[in-house]
Amino acid sequence: MSQTVDRALSILPLLAQGPADLGQVAERLGVHKSTALRLLRTLHEHGLVYRQSDQRYRLGARLFALAQEAVENLDVREIAHPHLVELNEQCGHTVHLAVYEENEVLYIDKVESRYPVRMYSRIGKPVAITVAAVAKLLLADLSEPERRVVADKLDYPMYTSRSTPNAGAFLKELSVVREQGWATDLGGHEESINCVGAPIRGADGRVVAAMSVSAPNVVVTREELLTLLPLVRRTADTISREYSGNAPTKKA
C-alpha cells in the first residue's frame, strides 16, 4: 500500500471519533497541513468526508452508503461454509447453519455426518422453532418485547417429553440463552437427537445466523456432545470475525 493511500485511509478512523479540523488531522498523521488538506480534498471529492461550515471535517454520507451496501451483499453462508466443513471434519457430526426470516428459522447450509446414522433435515426447511438450538439463539437476540410477541404467537407441540411446553417456559429459556451465549436441544425435537449451538454476529454485535452440531445418541452421548461446545463456539466466533470484517485473534 502506498504511503499516500495509507495516510488517506488513516483519516477515516480519526473522523469516526468525531469531527476534526485540518490541524488535528495533520497532527495525527504527522504531516504538513498542505499534505493533510490534499488528502482531505480527495476524500471529499469521493464523498467519504464532508467539510462542515465550521471548517471541521466529518465522515461523509457516501461512506455510510458503501458500508450499508457491503453489509447487504455479505453472504453469511458463503463465509461460514468452509468453517462448517472444517468443524465437521474435526467432530464428524452433522453441522447446520440457520437464519431467522419472516417469522421462520430456516436451515441455509448443512454438512452431513460421516456416520451412517443421518439426520432428516434439509436446506431451506424450517426448523422446529420452539425447541431447536439455532432457533433459540436467533430469537434470544430479539428485544424483550419482540421475544414476547413472537412467543405468544407460537404453537408449542410436544414432540417429546423434553419439548418446550408453553410461551412462559420458552421466554425463560430464551433469557438463559441470551445470557450464556449458547444453546442446546437435548432431545426436545427427537428423543434420540441432541444438539449444541452458538451464534454468529455481525459488526454491530447482533446475531445474523446460528450454527449447531447435532448427533444421535447412538453415535455419541449427550454428555460427550456437550464437550464439543467450546469448539462450536470458537468456530462461530471465527465466522463472526470474518463476517464482520474484524481481524482474527490468535488462538490460545
Side-chain angles (χ1 to χ4, degrees):
M1 182 182 294
S2 72
Q3 188 178 47
T4 300
V5 175
D6 183 56
R7 285 172 173 169
L9 292 178
S10 297
I11 292 173
L12 300 179
L14 166 62
L15 298 185
Q17 300 172 22
D21 61 29
L22 179 60
Q24 291 172 315
V25 172
E27 181 180 359
R28 177 65 68 88
L29 296 182
V31 299
H32 193 273
K33 285 186 178 181
S34 61
T35 300
L37 181 60
R38 186 171 63 253
L39 295 171
L40 285 165
R41 281 177 173 170
T42 300
L43 293 172
H44 183 270
E45 289 171 1
H46 289 276
L48 302 181
V49 305
Y50 177 78
R51 189 174 66 179
Q52 302 177 159
S53 58
D54 62 1
Q55 306 306 308
R56 293 190 301 165
Y57 293 84
R58 62 169 171 80
L59 294 180
R62 178 58 179 157
L63 185 63
F64 295 105
L66 289 171
Q68 184 61 35
E69 289 174 15
V71 169
E72 291 175 352
N73 288 318
L74 281 176
D75 184 347
V76 68
R77 181 181 182 274
E78 181 179 355
I79 292 171
H81 185 74
H83 300 288
L84 304 183
V85 171
E86 182 179 357
L87 176 60
N88 169 266
E89 291 172 348
Q90 290 177 285
C91 70
H93 306 305
T94 301
V95 181
H96 286 111
L97 180 70
V99 296
Y100 182 51
E101 290 185 356
E102 298 181 353
N103 300 316
E104 288 187 322
V105 175
L106 305 170
Y107 289 128
I108 60 171
D109 203 359
K110 177 184 180 182
V111 184
E112 289 281 6
S113 167
R114 74 164 69 108
Y115 299 98
V117 181
R118 301 291 178 88
M119 285 188 61
Y120 177 71
S121 56
R122 296 196 309 271
I123 295 174
K125 180 183 177 183
V127 310
I129 198 168
T130 60
V131 292
V134 289
K136 296 171 190 175
L137 290 160
L138 290 160
L139 296 182
D141 191 58
L142 300 176
S143 67
E144 184 176 357
E146 290 174 316
R147 295 199 302 269
R148 291 188 176 279
V149 169
V150 172
D152 288 341
K153 291 181 178 179
L154 293 174
D155 295 322
Y156 293 86
M158 292 302 292
Y159 303 104
T160 75
S161 60
R162 294 178 177 271
S163 298
T164 308
N166 52 54
F170 191 51
L171 287 168
K172 183 177 180 180
E173 185 161 11
L174 292 184
S175 294
V176 172
V177 169
R178 187 183 180 94
E179 178 67 24
Q180 67 189 13
W182 51 273
T184 62
D185 170 14
L186 303 178
H189 189 215
E190 298 180 58
E191 290 279 4
S192 62
I193 301 292
N194 298 306
C195 174
V196 294
I200 295 168
R201 300 181 184 274
D204 60 358
R206 298 299 304 270
V207 175
V208 296
M211 56 168 293
S212 64
V213 169
S214 305
N217 54 28
V218 295
V219 173
V220 61
T221 67
R222 181 180 305 161
E223 292 72 22
E224 289 170 335
L225 186 67
L226 286 171
T227 65
L228 295 176
L229 183 58
L231 178 59
V232 174
R233 297 186 74 181
R234 285 197 298 272
T235 301
D237 288 345
T238 298
I239 297 170
S240 297
R241 288 194 297 271
E242 188 170 334
Y243 180 82
S244 63
N246 292 331
T249 57
K250 293 182 180 180
K251 295 183 178 180

